[in-house]
Amino acid sequence: QVQLVESGGGLVQAGGSLRLSCAASVRTFSSYAMGWFRQAPGKERDIVAAINWTGGRTYYADSVKGRFTISRDNARNTVYLQMNSLKPEDTAVYYCAARFGTVVLTTRYEYDYWGQGTQVTVSS
């Protein structure tokens, strides 16, 4: 079983930045594909970004391309989401997800493990 704990959410002004972290409790973190999802009230839980087990391949939702960066530090069992140029529409609960495997996974159905989520609120 994989335990995921997100942190780093908060309230920021539009145009500001936040860095989310996801700490994973697994034996072989480098063997897991990781993703960030977000869910706003009344909305679906949608992909934000994903990364393969080495960090060599990434995926970004169109809405965050050029603004968000996903990265991982396998030595620390941690995945990050650097969020820049934040917009009010980025407001959501952000979730970390994991699945054993080597490739980038881009839908929520492909992930087995989920964190509790961290709230990100962007004000104008």
Side-chain angles (χ1 to χ4, degrees):
Q1 186 77 339
V2 178
Q3 297 271 321
L4 304 174
V5 180
E6 303 96 335
S7 62
L11 174 64
V12 298
Q13 297 287 333
S17 298
L18 282 175
R19 189 194 194 198
L20 306 184
S21 298
C22 173
S25 297
V26 296
R27 297 186 77 256
T28 313
F29 178 72
S30 61
S31 297
Y32 286 80
M34 304 294 296
W36 285 99
F37 291 74
R38 66 186 181 186
Q39 187 168 23
K43 302 291 186 179
E44 298 287 333
R45 185 174 299 187
D46 293 326
I47 185 72
V48 175
I51 192 165
N52 76 331
W53 69 340
T54 67
R57 292 187 178 274
T58 58
Y59 169 86
Y60 296 95
D62 288 342
S63 60
V64 307
K65 285 181 179 177
R67 299 188 298 120
F68 291 11
T69 302
I70 188 171
S71 62
R72 66 191 297 162
D73 186 341
N74 288 343
R76 297 179 182 271
N77 282 18
T78 302
V79 174
Y80 304 96
L81 185 68
Q82 179 66 46
M83 304 186 295
N84 299 325
S85 301
L86 283 161
K87 306 173 181 179
E89 50 263 45
D90 294 319
T91 296
V93 177
Y94 283 70
Y95 297 90
C96 178
R99 169 68 182 265
F100 184 83
T102 63
V103 301
V104 174
L105 305 174
T106 60
T107 73
R108 64 183 182 273
Y109 309 107
E110 298 172 289
Y111 288 90
D112 295 316
Y113 307 103
W114 295 86
Q116 299 170 23
T118 185
Q119 177 70 47
V120 172
T121 302
V122 184
S123 63
S124 298

